[in-house]
Amino acid sequence: DIILKQRGTLDKFVGDQIMALFGAPVYTESHALKAIKTAVEMQKAQAELSKRLKKQYGIDVEIGIGINTGEMVVGNIGCKQRMDYTVIGDSVNVAARLCGAAKGAEILITENTYAEVKKLVKVEELTPITVKGKSKPLQLYRVTGLVSQ
């Protein structure tokens, strides 16, 4: 519901990850900001759920979120036996790597995403990291909040 509220497209579930798109299949203005607003709201919802799980079962559950902005192939991808509407490409792979790098309760964004939202989002600049499939380290930012609008 949080993804759809920001006009995102729920693409798929991959293990314990949710893959969502913003700006496709229909282009949406401010798609990077919508992705970040979704992530912030998801973290708030997760914190509430975690309180209930802690009280009821004694366990902590947190989520890490990775967001990247860039070009990708979007559409029905597959073969005659199995076809899915999805996205593929380097930008998608980078986002997946960020999800793996994000710690619990953390929202990581790339420099591409930050360039789209820098006046609207509060961030902490992180030390660049090297991810699988990239020879150069990526500059990342941890989202710490939204600028009041």
Side-chain angles (χ1 to χ4, degrees), residues 73-79 82-88:
V73 176
V74 181
N76 291 321
I77 298 172
C79 62
R82 177 158 165 78
M83 181 87 52
D84 280 320
Y85 178 84
T86 193
V87 292
I88 59 172

Side-chain angles (χ1 to χ4, degrees), residues 15 33 61 72 88 91 115 122 135:
L33 181 60
V61 179
M72 54 198 72
I88 59 172
S91 295
K122 298 175 188 175
S135 56

Side-chain angles (χ1 to χ4, degrees), residues 31-79:
H31 52 85
L33 181 60
K34 288 178 184 303
I36 292 170
K37 284 181 175 181
T38 298
V40 168
E41 194 171 334
M42 287 175 72
Q43 290 291 15
K44 286 179 186 174
Q46 178 61 35
E48 289 301 314
L49 175 61
S50 191
K51 284 180 193 174
R52 292 196 311 267
L53 292 173
K54 180 74 170 178
K55 185 177 179 180
Q56 190 170 359
Y57 301 106
I59 59 171
D60 287 315
V61 179
E62 295 182 315
I63 58 173
I65 299 172
I67 300 171
N68 186 33
T69 303
E71 292 185 10
M72 54 198 72
V73 176
V74 181
N76 291 321
I77 298 172
C79 62

